[in-house]
Amino acid sequence: MGGREANVVLLDENGIRSDGRKVNETRKVTIKAGVLKNANGSAYIEFGGNKILAGVFGPRDVHPKHMSNPDTGILRVRYHMEPFSVGERKKPAPSRREIEISKVIKEALEPAVMLENFPRTAVDVFLEVLQADGGTRCAALDAASVALADAGIPMRDIVCACAAGKAGDALILDVNNEEDQAGQADMPIGYMPNLGKITLLQLDGVLTPDEYKKCIELGLEGCKQVYEIQKNALREKYFSSSDNN
Ligand code: CDP
């Protein structure tokens, strides 16, 4: 949440948002699985103005070896923003924000990935944000799940993610950059629909207890829509007759 400037009109008198969406509408989401030849699994997502590439390697040997666990595999996630991905050039060095997002995405994925099948190994997930427009952690998590499945790594479920929030005094689905900066709340959610488990839940801003519950419900609706798009991306790669890579 930025300055929450009162002058920005985020919702007009007809309940339409600044980018033309209704309050319960997500931005356009497209996902393509298997876009990188040299990764074990990969995916490219466009989530509104967000453009993110995910590459997965492993399960593979862990270096340094002392980081490995004899009882289970480990998951490592690196979320990185390209310097050109935002309006004001981002310094290439990892920021505190990127370290935090890498950590929350890793923790959101861990319950889904059957790491116990691969003791002493690591699965590495690289997330490159090429263009950011609010909600990159959710979009990156969506791409990471598809890339992990594309790598053939056994999973309990696909983790799907979408944010809900509050802007112009209304609860909204899928918060864009402008709404994130000038709105009242942003709540990214990661969800495993088959297992009915939430694996990511953050809240930046202020909500009443009632709004909090409604925001989760709204966010889960968005997650479920993304879930269908994730599954279709995998179906398209593995069940279509076209030549992939
Ligand atoms: O991207 P997400 O909403 O998960 O994380 P955030 O920290 O709430 O950032 C919101 C948005 O701020 C990003 O999606 C970018 O569009 C923008 N941002 C930026 O313009 N410059 C940065 N150095 C970091 C973020």
Side-chain angles (χ1 to χ4, degrees), residues 164 166 171 185 187 189 198 201-203 205-219:
K166 187 178 173 187
L171 297 185
M187 180 194 273
I189 301 174
I198 290 176
L201 184 62
Q202 294 184 291
L203 173 60
V206 180
L207 294 173
T208 65
D210 186 47
E211 285 173 340
Y212 176 80
K213 278 190 210 139
K214 286 189 176 141
C215 222
I216 292 183
E217 278 165 28
L218 187 59

Short mmCIF file of all heavy atoms in Angstrom, two decimals, residues 164 166 171 185 187 189 198 201-203 205-219:
data_model
loop_
_atom_site.label_atom_id
_atom_site.label_comp_id
_atom_site.label_asym_id
_atom_site.label_seq_id
_atom_site.Cartn_x
_atom_site.Cartn_y
_atom_site.Cartn_z
N ALA A 164 -6.94 -10.32 -3.55
CA ALA A 164 -8.16 -9.52 -3.43
C ALA A 164 -7.75 -8.31 -2.60
O ALA A 164 -6.64 -8.27 -2.06
CB ALA A 164 -9.27 -10.31 -2.76
N LYS A 166 -9.03 -3.95 -1.28
CA LYS A 166 -10.05 -2.92 -1.11
C LYS A 166 -9.54 -1.63 -1.74
O LYS A 166 -8.39 -1.22 -1.51
CB LYS A 166 -10.30 -2.70 0.39
CG LYS A 166 -11.46 -1.77 0.68
CD LYS A 166 -11.67 -1.66 2.19
CE LYS A 166 -12.69 -0.60 2.52
NZ LYS A 166 -12.79 -0.36 3.96
N LEU A 171 -14.63 -3.89 -2.00
CA LEU A 171 -13.74 -5.05 -2.07
C LEU A 171 -13.55 -5.40 -3.54
O LEU A 171 -14.52 -5.43 -4.31
CB LEU A 171 -14.34 -6.23 -1.31
CG LEU A 171 -14.52 -6.00 0.20
CD1 LEU A 171 -15.01 -7.26 0.88
CD2 LEU A 171 -13.23 -5.51 0.86
N ALA A 185 -6.37 -1.79 0.70
CA ALA A 185 -5.84 -3.08 1.18
C ALA A 185 -5.50 -3.99 0.01
O ALA A 185 -6.12 -3.92 -1.06
CB ALA A 185 -6.86 -3.78 2.08
N MET A 187 -4.47 -8.16 -0.50
CA MET A 187 -4.36 -9.45 0.19
C MET A 187 -4.04 -10.55 -0.82
O MET A 187 -4.95 -11.12 -1.46
CB MET A 187 -5.69 -9.77 0.90
CG MET A 187 -5.68 -11.08 1.64
SD MET A 187 -7.34 -11.57 2.11
CE MET A 187 -7.50 -10.75 3.67
N ILE A 189 -3.34 -14.22 -2.07
CA ILE A 189 -3.74 -15.53 -1.56
C ILE A 189 -3.19 -16.62 -2.48
O ILE A 189 -3.29 -16.51 -3.70
CB ILE A 189 -5.28 -15.67 -1.51
CG1 ILE A 189 -5.89 -14.59 -0.61
CG2 ILE A 189 -5.71 -17.05 -1.02
CD1 ILE A 189 -7.40 -14.55 -0.62
N ILE A 198 -5.10 -23.14 2.08
CA ILE A 198 -4.47 -21.85 1.74
C ILE A 198 -3.00 -21.95 2.12
O ILE A 198 -2.67 -22.33 3.24
CB ILE A 198 -5.18 -20.70 2.48
CG1 ILE A 198 -6.58 -20.49 1.89
CG2 ILE A 198 -4.36 -19.41 2.40
CD1 ILE A 198 -7.43 -19.45 2.59
N LEU A 201 -1.03 -16.27 2.52
CA LEU A 201 -2.02 -15.25 2.91
C LEU A 201 -1.27 -14.09 3.53
O LEU A 201 -0.64 -14.24 4.58
CB LEU A 201 -3.03 -15.83 3.90
CG LEU A 201 -4.16 -14.89 4.31
CD1 LEU A 201 -5.03 -14.49 3.12
CD2 LEU A 201 -5.03 -15.52 5.38
N GLN A 202 -1.30 -12.97 2.84
CA GLN A 202 -0.68 -11.76 3.38
C GLN A 202 -1.71 -10.64 3.33
O GLN A 202 -2.65 -10.71 2.54
CB GLN A 202 0.56 -11.39 2.55
CG GLN A 202 1.68 -12.41 2.65
CD GLN A 202 2.92 -11.98 1.89
OE1 GLN A 202 2.92 -11.93 0.67
NE2 GLN A 202 3.97 -11.64 2.61
N LEU A 203 -1.52 -9.64 4.14
CA LEU A 203 -2.44 -8.50 4.10
C LEU A 203 -1.66 -7.22 4.34
O LEU A 203 -1.01 -7.06 5.37
CB LEU A 203 -3.55 -8.65 5.16
CG LEU A 203 -4.47 -7.43 5.31
CD1 LEU A 203 -5.20 -7.10 4.02
CD2 LEU A 203 -5.50 -7.67 6.43
N GLY A 205 -2.52 -3.30 4.51
CA GLY A 205 -3.64 -2.38 4.56
C GLY A 205 -4.55 -2.72 5.73
O GLY A 205 -4.18 -3.51 6.60
N VAL A 206 -5.74 -2.12 5.72
CA VAL A 206 -6.64 -2.30 6.85
C VAL A 206 -8.00 -2.78 6.37
O VAL A 206 -8.57 -2.23 5.42
CB VAL A 206 -6.81 -0.95 7.64
CG1 VAL A 206 -7.75 -1.13 8.81
CG2 VAL A 206 -5.47 -0.43 8.10
N LEU A 207 -8.53 -3.82 7.03
CA LEU A 207 -9.87 -4.35 6.73
C LEU A 207 -10.59 -4.61 8.05
O LEU A 207 -9.95 -4.93 9.06
CB LEU A 207 -9.77 -5.68 5.98
CG LEU A 207 -9.17 -5.69 4.57
CD1 LEU A 207 -9.01 -7.12 4.07
CD2 LEU A 207 -10.03 -4.89 3.59
N THR A 208 -11.93 -4.51 8.04
CA THR A 208 -12.70 -4.93 9.22
C THR A 208 -12.72 -6.46 9.22
O THR A 208 -12.47 -7.09 8.17
CB THR A 208 -14.15 -4.41 9.16
OG1 THR A 208 -14.77 -5.05 8.03
CG2 THR A 208 -14.21 -2.89 8.99
N PRO A 209 -13.05 -7.10 10.37
CA PRO A 209 -13.12 -8.57 10.37
C PRO A 209 -14.08 -9.11 9.30
O PRO A 209 -13.78 -10.12 8.65
CB PRO A 209 -13.61 -8.89 11.79
CG PRO A 209 -13.14 -7.74 12.61
CD PRO A 209 -13.23 -6.53 11.71
N ASP A 210 -15.19 -8.42 9.06
CA ASP A 210 -16.15 -8.87 8.06
C ASP A 210 -15.56 -8.75 6.64
O ASP A 210 -15.68 -9.65 5.81
CB ASP A 210 -17.44 -8.04 8.19
CG ASP A 210 -18.52 -8.56 7.26
OD1 ASP A 210 -18.73 -9.80 7.25
OD2 ASP A 210 -19.13 -7.76 6.53
N GLU A 211 -14.89 -7.62 6.40
CA GLU A 211 -14.25 -7.42 5.08
C GLU A 211 -13.15 -8.46 4.87
O GLU A 211 -12.95 -8.94 3.75
CB GLU A 211 -13.64 -6.01 5.01
CG GLU A 211 -14.66 -4.91 4.83
CD GLU A 211 -14.05 -3.52 4.94
OE1 GLU A 211 -12.95 -3.37 5.52
OE2 GLU A 211 -14.69 -2.58 4.46
N TYR A 212 -12.46 -8.76 5.94
CA TYR A 212 -11.36 -9.74 5.87
C TYR A 212 -11.89 -11.09 5.35
O TYR A 212 -11.34 -11.68 4.42
CB TYR A 212 -10.75 -9.88 7.26
CG TYR A 212 -9.67 -10.92 7.40
CD1 TYR A 212 -8.36 -10.66 7.00
CD2 TYR A 212 -9.96 -12.17 7.94
CE1 TYR A 212 -7.38 -11.62 7.12
CE2 TYR A 212 -8.97 -13.13 8.07
CZ TYR A 212 -7.68 -12.86 7.66
OH TYR A 212 -6.71 -13.81 7.78
N LYS A 213 -13.01 -11.54 5.94
CA LYS A 213 -13.60 -12.83 5.51
C LYS A 213 -14.06 -12.76 4.06
O LYS A 213 -13.82 -13.67 3.27
CB LYS A 213 -14.80 -13.15 6.41
CG LYS A 213 -14.39 -13.77 7.73
CD LYS A 213 -15.61 -14.30 8.46
CE LYS A 213 -15.38 -14.22 9.96
NZ LYS A 213 -16.54 -13.78 10.72
N LYS A 214 -14.74 -11.65 3.72
CA LYS A 214 -15.26 -11.51 2.35
C LYS A 214 -14.12 -11.42 1.34
O LYS A 214 -14.23 -11.90 0.21
CB LYS A 214 -16.14 -10.26 2.26
CG LYS A 214 -17.48 -10.46 2.94
CD LYS A 214 -18.41 -9.32 2.65
CE LYS A 214 -19.78 -9.60 3.26
NZ LYS A 214 -20.40 -8.41 3.85
N CYS A 215 -13.04 -10.78 1.75
CA CYS A 215 -11.88 -10.63 0.87
C CYS A 215 -11.26 -12.00 0.57
O CYS A 215 -10.88 -12.27 -0.57
CB CYS A 215 -10.86 -9.74 1.58
SG CYS A 215 -10.10 -8.54 0.53
N ILE A 216 -11.19 -12.85 1.57
CA ILE A 216 -10.64 -14.19 1.34
C ILE A 216 -11.55 -14.94 0.36
O ILE A 216 -11.07 -15.55 -0.60
CB ILE A 216 -10.50 -14.98 2.67
CG1 ILE A 216 -9.41 -14.34 3.53
CG2 ILE A 216 -10.17 -16.45 2.40
CD1 ILE A 216 -9.12 -15.05 4.83
N GLU A 217 -12.86 -14.87 0.59
CA GLU A 217 -13.80 -15.57 -0.31
C GLU A 217 -13.65 -15.08 -1.75
O GLU A 217 -13.61 -15.87 -2.70
CB GLU A 217 -15.25 -15.33 0.14
CG GLU A 217 -15.66 -16.25 1.27
CD GLU A 217 -16.93 -15.78 1.95
OE1 GLU A 217 -17.76 -15.12 1.28
OE2 GLU A 217 -17.08 -16.07 3.15
N LEU A 218 -13.53 -13.76 -1.90
CA LEU A 218 -13.39 -13.17 -3.23
C LEU A 218 -12.07 -13.63 -3.86
O LEU A 218 -12.03 -14.05 -5.02
CB LEU A 218 -13.41 -11.64 -3.09
CG LEU A 218 -13.44 -10.79 -4.35
CD1 LEU A 218 -14.66 -11.11 -5.21
CD2 LEU A 218 -13.45 -9.30 -3.99
N GLY A 219 -11.01 -13.57 -3.08
CA GLY A 219 -9.69 -13.99 -3.59
C GLY A 219 -9.69 -15.45 -4.02
O GLY A 219 -9.10 -15.81 -5.05
#
